[in-house]
Amino acid sequence: MAPPKPGIVPLRPLMFGEILDGSFQAIRGNAKAMLGAALLVQSIAAVVAAVLTTFTATSAASIETWAAGLTDQDLIAFVLSFAGGILLVSVLTLFLSAVLQGAMVVPVARAVLNRSTGFGQMWRLARSRIWPLIRLAALLFAGGLIAVLLFMALAVLLIRTVGAAGALVLVPLGFLYILLFIWIYIKLMVAPAVVVVEELGALDSLGRSWQLTRNNWWRLLGITLVVSFMVGIIAQVVMIPVSLLSSFYTTVVSPHGGSGQALMTAIVTGVATAVIGALVGAVGFAFQTSVMALLYLDLRMRWDGLDIALLRQLESGADPDGVPGRGLPVYRAGPGNGQGPGNGQGPGNGQGPGVANGPRPPYGAWPNGR
């Protein structure tokens, strides 16, 4: 008998095609929640890009005249202030992305049981997890910043002590740094979903993500790379007509428009690029977040027997307005023969994993996954 499929995916460990199809269905069935949240992230970058494009296009000549009268100290202060503003916006966007990525797990998890989620309901269910998500983003940002600073310090030390030959060491070392970053990223990629669904803290969610991704690293890497390539290629294809808009207008529609026409064309093209880029980026962000959420649920089905717990929740109709998987008992290996789910009477009946009544067993109690 085929496993039940009440929502976007069947209640069993998932295959690659089911993850992609389920992600598209989650976005289509919860468009207001998924795309609305993704647009919040992309709109910040779009507004900054449009403002910068308009400002540089309209003030290029005056900026050159103004910069020519500055001293070196004034120019350095201006550049540092400008870079600080860009860095501040980038950090705020990073934290907002982390919060929204965690919140968007809610409609995906509910869609597994065929429960639709509105934008307001998504925020109500994820509101209590906002601060843990912010702390998680702060930990990840601090870890990445420390790694970059250590690499830069090591590079400076090598160049000062070894000289030009230090560059020969930095190239393979930088490659190893990139590989290490990718490895750690895959190990921690489902931490936002852990924070929201399992209601763990920032540090505990990192440990839980590390445990869940055990023995699945290459599979998660392959799915992540394929999804990233898909989103990147589609985004480039969509943006090609926009990038050709300026040259088409100046060479075909108005070839003799003059400098004023060229200025207006540059402004319109920059704003249109920012708006369309925000829309495309929102769809890509929503799709990648849906894939991450389904990968998390898939891992819990393999390690915790979450599919059995979700099936019982579906049959009982319990907690119809909550987050599926939150607070549910999980099926873990008891001291029985470990041949599969038993009769559901709890661990220790000698018939396989049962419902983990009482305190939750330590992570990895089902050591080999499914």
Side-chain angles (χ1 to χ4, degrees), residues 194-267:
V194 172
V195 170
V196 173
V197 177
E198 300 186 45
E199 298 183 301
L200 297 180
L203 284 174
D204 291 337
S205 68
L206 294 176
R208 174 67 164 152
S209 177
W210 197 278
Q211 182 270 327
L212 283 175
T213 54
R214 187 175 58 187
N215 299 332
N216 283 276
W217 190 88
W218 286 106
R219 174 173 170 268
L220 295 176
L221 175 66
I223 294 175
T224 303
L225 288 178
V226 171
V227 171
S228 299
F229 284 135
M230 287 176 54
V231 172
I233 292 173
I234 293 174
Q236 292 298 322
V237 171
V238 173
M239 294 302 295
I240 286 176
V242 182
S243 62
L244 298 177
L245 178 62
S246 176
S247 59
F248 174 79
Y249 187 84
T250 54
T251 57
V252 178
V253 179
S254 181
H256 307 292
S259 59
Q261 188 68 44
L263 176 62
M264 183 59 64
T265 302
I267 294 174

Side-chain angles (χ1 to χ4, degrees), residues 85-317:
I86 297 297
L87 179 62
L88 178 61
V89 173
S90 301
V91 171
L92 290 176
T93 304
L94 172 66
F95 278 78
L96 182 60
S97 300
V99 172
L100 292 174
Q101 189 179 33
M104 290 164 65
V105 173
V106 173
V108 178
R110 287 177 54 81
V112 171
L113 297 185
N114 198 27
R115 296 171 179 176
S116 60
T117 309
F119 186 80
Q121 185 181 14
M122 179 188 71
W123 282 110
R124 286 193 298 271
L125 292 173
R127 181 171 52 194
S128 62
R129 312 310 302 157
I130 290 178
W131 283 112
L133 287 170
I134 293 176
R135 289 193 291 270
L136 175 64
L139 286 175
L140 295 176
F141 176 76
L145 183 61
I146 291 173
V148 172
L149 292 178
L150 287 177
F151 181 78
M152 293 175 62
L154 182 60
V156 172
L157 181 62
L158 282 174
I159 292 176
R160 284 186 176 182
T161 55
V162 184
L168 299 177
V169 180
L170 286 177
V171 173
L173 186 61
F175 182 71
L176 290 176
Y177 246 71
I178 294 174
L179 292 180
L180 180 62
F181 173 82
I182 295 175
W183 180 67
I184 294 177
Y185 170 79
I186 296 299
K187 294 292 291 182
L188 304 180
M189 65 178 299
V190 298
V194 172
V195 170
V196 173
V197 177
E198 300 186 45
E199 298 183 301
L200 297 180
L203 284 174
D204 291 337
S205 68
L206 294 176
R208 174 67 164 152
S209 177
W210 197 278
Q211 182 270 327
L212 283 175
T213 54
R214 187 175 58 187
N215 299 332
N216 283 276
W217 190 88
W218 286 106
R219 174 173 170 268
L220 295 176
L221 175 66
I223 294 175
T224 303
L225 288 178
V226 171
V227 171
S228 299
F229 284 135
M230 287 176 54
V231 172
I233 292 173
I234 293 174
Q236 292 298 322
V237 171
V238 173
M239 294 302 295
I240 286 176
V242 182
S243 62
L244 298 177
L245 178 62
S246 176
S247 59
F248 174 79
Y249 187 84
T250 54
T251 57
V252 178
V253 179
S254 181
H256 307 292
S259 59
Q261 188 68 44
L263 176 62
M264 183 59 64
T265 302
I267 294 174
V268 172
T269 303
V271 173
T273 302
V275 172
I276 297 178
L279 295 175
V280 175
V283 176
F285 183 80
F287 179 67
Q288 289 177 305
T289 302
S290 299
V291 170
M292 182 273 294
L294 288 179
L295 284 175
Y296 162 74
L297 295 174
D298 168 70
L299 292 172
R300 287 200 64 190
M301 290 177 188
R302 295 173 185 270
W303 283 100
D304 299 342
L306 181 65
D307 47 343
I308 304 174
L310 290 178
L311 181 59
R312 289 197 170 185
Q313 184 179 15
L314 177 68
E315 293 174 346
S316 64

